[in-house]
Amino acid sequence: MKTYAAGSALFGTGLLMIALSSGLPMVLLGSAMTGFGAALVSGTMIPWLYDSLGDGNRVKDVLSRVKALSGPVRFAGGLSAGYLASLAPNLPVLAAGLLSIASALTAYLLLPDNYGTLKKSYVEVLKEGLHELRHNRAVHFLLAASFLLSFSARAFFTFWMILLSGRGLPETYMGLLFALMVLSTSGGALIAKKISPTPRALAALTALWGLEILLLGLVEGLAPSILLLFVIEITLGARFPVMAVVRNRFISSEARSTVNSAMSTISSGFMAAANIFVGALASSFGLETAYETAGILALASAISLLLLLEFDQE
């Protein structure tokens, strides 16, 4: 919990520096602080929740509720940020920094800490995490799935506006469409409450998402494309809680935060490579080809997740 609070506070402080500074060096320093803060948060929040609740189904239900609430909250946040930006460009960043620091204080004051049964030194925790990362074959399959899925994510999130614009959607409607897509993720989160958090369910949701991405490259016409976008967002909303639980089930409690942080860092490297690959593919062969390839790679990701059944003991 203290690690999460420190990360959230560091992230918020970095945003405040960006919002209040007038020179590039301070902006760069603030950006570096947000990166360090995000790294601390990414490996601690869900492992802390998983260990505190001790039940994968309960974790999935909590994350589903959070995801369901995040749609309306993000929608309202987008409207508020747009209004603040109309007053001054730095106000949305300033508000986000203050909210992040408030999140850190809330966690520190209200959430119980979780050390397991034994407090260990940083070096001991790091060694255990690196050992798990090297020898846990289930983690290797999860990383492979993440690597393949990163291409699909980059294709979808980078180019969907350009794809729809090419199919006839006026630019003035892009903002409204994005806000509605954010809301639709809440529907997926509600669906996730009915899904058992198993590798088979995760693989099925991943395959479904890959098929939807593939169809986005194959279909023609604006209306089917917009419909697919909403279906994709709903699938993402359903997949996130299931993925979070399955991922942590295959990592021991002592190494859970270390391994999650390491996997997040490695996945970021995959994302960087995916940006280059997807951009080059779209530039050379068109957006449709990029989406078709991304969908096929997501289907391959689902196969990698099915291999987790070999290690599933629940």
Side-chain angles (χ1 to χ4, degrees):
M1 180 276 298
K2 291 185 179 70
T3 306
Y4 170 81
S8 189
L10 192 61
F11 184 84
T13 303
L15 290 180
L16 293 183
M17 290 180 64
I18 294 171
L20 298 175
S21 62
S22 57
L24 182 59
M26 294 302 291
V27 170
L28 293 176
L29 178 59
S31 298
M33 290 178 66
T34 61
F36 281 119
L40 288 174
V41 169
S42 67
T44 52
M45 187 58 183
I46 293 179
W48 172 86
L49 180 66
Y50 197 99
D51 285 340
S52 296
L53 296 180
D55 183 330
N57 283 305
R58 289 185 65 196
V59 175
K60 188 257 302 178
D61 288 343
V62 169
L63 292 176
S64 298
R65 293 174 190 173
V66 170
K67 197 70 174 177
L69 288 170
S70 72
V73 171
R74 289 169 64 196
F75 180 78
L79 294 178
S80 301
Y83 172 73
L84 291 174
S86 69
L87 301 177
N90 67 329
L91 282 182
V93 184
L94 182 65
L98 292 173
L99 288 172
S100 185
I101 292 173
S103 173
L105 290 172
T106 300
Y108 185 78
L109 295 174
L110 298 181
L111 296 181
D113 221 331
N114 180 6
Y115 293 103
T117 57
L118 180 67
K119 294 185 182 181
K120 298 180 180 180
S121 70
Y122 173 79
V123 174
E124 289 176 306
V125 172
L126 185 61
K127 284 182 178 179
E128 289 180 358
L130 292 176
H131 182 272
E132 182 107 4
L133 194 63
R134 288 176 56 193
H135 298 285
N136 188 334
R137 289 183 61 208
V139 170
H140 299 162
F141 286 125
L142 285 166
L143 275 172
S146 173
F147 175 64
L148 292 167
L149 204 63
S150 64
F151 294 98
S152 306
R154 286 304 89 200
F156 174 62
F157 291 113
T158 304
F159 295 122
W160 71 265
M161 290 186 181
I162 301 174
L163 187 72
L164 288 194
S165 179
R167 291 177 178 176
L169 182 67
E171 198 171 306
T172 53
Y173 294 116
M174 290 291 183
L176 176 62
L177 180 62
F178 176 71
L180 293 174
M181 285 169 57
V182 167
L183 278 175
S184 68
T185 60
S186 297
L190 294 174
I191 293 172
K193 295 181 69 175
K194 306 295 183 182
I195 300 174
S196 178
T198 64
R200 187 175 282 105
L202 178 60
L205 288 169
T206 304
L208 179 61
W209 197 65
L211 180 61
E212 292 159 1
I213 295 289
L214 177 63
L215 287 174
L216 197 57
L218 292 175
V219 302
E220 296 180 0
L222 181 59
S225 301
I226 292 176
L227 177 61
L228 272 171
L229 284 178
F230 281 99
V231 174
I232 287 170
E233 288 288 347
I234 291 171
T235 305
L236 281 176
R239 184 182 181 278
F240 167 74
V242 177
M243 176 62 189
V245 173
V246 170
R247 178 170 169 167
N248 283 279
R249 262 177 53 188
F250 291 100
I251 306 171
S252 66
S253 176
E254 293 79 6
R256 198 164 277 144
S257 289
T258 312
V259 173
N260 270 275
S261 295
M263 290 177 69
S264 178
T265 302
I266 295 169
S267 296
S268 295
F270 291 163
M271 284 288 186
N275 277 326
I276 298 170
F277 174 81
V278 171
L281 196 63
S283 177
S284 300
F285 301 102
L287 290 177
E288 285 77 9
T289 300
Y291 274 95
E292 291 163 12
T293 305
I296 292 170
L297 289 174
L299 292 172
S301 175
I303 295 174
S304 179
L305 292 170
L306 273 178
L307 295 175
L308 290 173
L309 290 170
E310 176 186 349
F311 310 96
D312 194 13
Q313 302 298 320
E314 293 189 17

